[in-house]
Amino acid sequence: MAAVRRICATAGKTSVSGFLGTSKIATSTEWRPLTCWIHATRTSSSQFRTSFQGSKLKIPAELQPAVREWNRLVNRFSQRWRYSSLGRLPGGGGYARPDVALWTLIGANVSVFFLWKVFDPVFMTEHFTISMHNVLSGRLHTLVTNFFSHNEFWHLASNLLGLYFFGTEIAYRFGSKRLYMIYFAGGLVSSFGHLAYSYYIYPWLKGLRHSTFVARFVPPALGASGAINALVVLNIMLNPTRVILVDFLFPVPAALFGAYMILKDLWGVSDVASTISHVGHLGGAVVGAVAWVRLRRHW
C-alpha cells in the first residue's frame, strides 16, 4: 500500500507499476480523485468497486485490467493476513490461525492426560480436578485446570472428537480468539456449576441438612465436557437443520441431537449415584446459547 501511495503522489505523466501492472496515465489532475480514494480505502475489493461506482471518475479502459489484478491481489493478501499467526480478525478475531488454536487446545488436553500416567494420582486429584475441598483449600487454579484433565482414554477421546468436529467450524467462522473465549467460559461455568451442585443440590437430593453436611466430601469432577458442550450447543444453534452422524452411524438432525443432550443431562441431575457432572454439562450448554445470542447481534 505504501508503494501505491508513493506512485499516486507522483505528479505529471508517469507509469503505474508494481501492484497495478504497467499503464500510462494522463496528468496528476486526473489521478487526484483516485489518489484520495487510495489513501482512504481499506483493503477490500468490494469497497474498491463501490468507490468508483459512487464517484464521477470513470476508469479508463487501459486501466481496467490493472484494477482487476489489484482486486485479485488484495483478496489474496487479505485471506493470508486473516489466517496468519500475526493477523487479527476484526470484531473478535484471533492471535493465532484457527487450526493452530484448535490443536493447541487438543494438545493441552492430551498433555494433561499423560500427566495422569506419570504423576501421583493424589497430586493430580488435588491440582487437576474441581471440588469444594480443592477450592476451600485455596487451590483456585483447579477452576481452570480441571477442564483440561482426563484420566481415562475413552473420556479423552470422546471429548476431543467433539472439540475437533464442532470446534473447527467455530474457529474458522468466528476466529481463534472467540474459540478460546467460548471454551474457557464454558469450562468456568461448568466448574462453578459443579461447585453449586456440591453445596446445594447434592445434599438436597440426599435429604441431608446443611448443618451436618460437609461439601468437601462430594466427589470431584474433571474433563472438558462442559467447555466442549458450549461449542456443541453453539454449533447446533447455528446449524439446527444440519444432519449429525451419531457414533458415525446414525444420521440425526442437529436440533434433535441437541434436545436429546439437554434432556439427558436434566434427567441425570437427580441421579446422585451418577459419576457424570450433569450440572457441569448444562453450564456449558448455557454458555453456548448465550454465545449464539451475542454473536447474532453482529451478523
Side-chain angles (χ1 to χ4, degrees):
M1 186 61 73
V4 175
R5 288 175 178 171
R6 287 196 297 269
I7 293 170
C8 295
T10 303
K13 296 184 179 180
T14 185
S15 63
V16 181
S17 59
F19 289 109
L20 296 177
T22 302
S23 301
K24 295 289 183 179
I25 58 176
T27 66
S28 59
T29 302
E30 295 179 5
W31 185 249
R32 190 173 296 112
L34 183 58
T35 305
C36 297
W37 173 82
I38 289 179
H39 278 278
T41 189
R42 296 178 181 176
T43 52
S44 168
S45 60
S46 62
Q47 289 181 347
F48 191 103
R49 291 190 297 270
T50 303
S51 297
F52 275 113
Q53 292 169 357
S55 66
K56 297 181 179 180
L57 177 67
K58 294 183 179 180
I59 306 176
E62 60 181 359
L63 272 181
Q64 289 181 5
V67 170
R68 286 195 294 269
E69 179 68 11
W70 165 260
N71 289 339
R72 187 183 68 81
L73 291 173
V74 164
N75 286 334
R76 178 185 295 182
F77 174 80
S78 298
Q79 289 299 319
R80 288 185 178 181
W81 176 253
R82 181 180 177 88
Y83 295 128
S84 70
S85 58
L86 297 177
R88 284 166 170 72
L89 297 178
Y95 299 91
R97 297 197 312 267
D99 57 332
V100 173
L102 186 68
W103 284 103
T104 298
L105 292 176
I106 292 175
N109 280 273
V110 173
S111 299
V112 177
F113 171 74
F114 283 109
L115 290 181
W116 277 95
K117 308 304 177 185
V118 176
F119 288 96
D120 180 27
V122 174
F123 171 84
M124 295 299 294
T125 301
E126 290 180 347
H127 295 280
F128 287 89
T129 65
I130 183 66
S131 66
M132 287 296 297
H133 175 67
N134 282 342
V135 172
L136 294 176
S137 299
R139 294 187 284 271
L140 300 181
H141 56 277
T142 57
L143 290 167
V144 174
T145 57
N146 81 90
F147 54 80
F148 289 96
S149 180
H150 306 79
N151 60 359
E152 296 179 357
F153 174 77
W154 291 112
H155 188 199
L156 173 72
S158 61
N159 276 345
L160 293 192
L161 280 174
L163 174 59
Y164 179 78
F165 285 110
F166 291 97
T168 297
E169 181 171 352
I170 302 303
Y172 277 94
R173 185 166 180 176
F174 299 109
S176 56
K177 182 179 178 181
R178 281 189 173 138
L179 173 69
Y180 286 138
M181 289 174 63
I182 295 169
Y183 182 92
F184 275 84
L188 285 171
V189 173
S190 175
S191 297
F192 284 109
H194 180 72
L195 294 177
Y197 171 81
S198 301
Y199 191 78
Y200 295 105
I201 302 176
Y202 185 85
W204 176 70
L205 292 173
K206 284 281 194 177
L208 303 173
R209 298 175 59 184
H210 272 287
S211 58
T212 59
F213 173 70
V214 180
R216 288 176 178 266
F217 298 134
V218 177
L222 75 165
S225 301
I228 295 170
N229 257 23
L231 298 171
V232 172
V233 170
L234 173 58
N235 201 302
I236 288 174
M237 297 184 76
L238 290 170
N239 310 283
T241 59
R242 176 178 293 173
V243 175
I244 297 175
L245 286 178
V246 179
D247 295 331
F248 299 101
L249 294 174
F250 309 105
V252 177
L256 183 61
F257 177 72
Y260 166 75
M261 286 175 49
I262 301 300
L263 291 175
K264 179 182 177 181
D265 283 321
L266 286 172
W267 181 265
V269 170
S270 60
D271 184 5
V272 293
S274 176
T275 58
I276 300 173
S277 178
H278 294 283
V279 174
H281 292 184
L282 292 172
V286 170
V287 170
V290 172
W292 176 75
V293 172
R294 291 182 61 84
L295 290 171
R296 278 192 66 190
R297 298 177 181 175
H298 302 287
W299 292 350

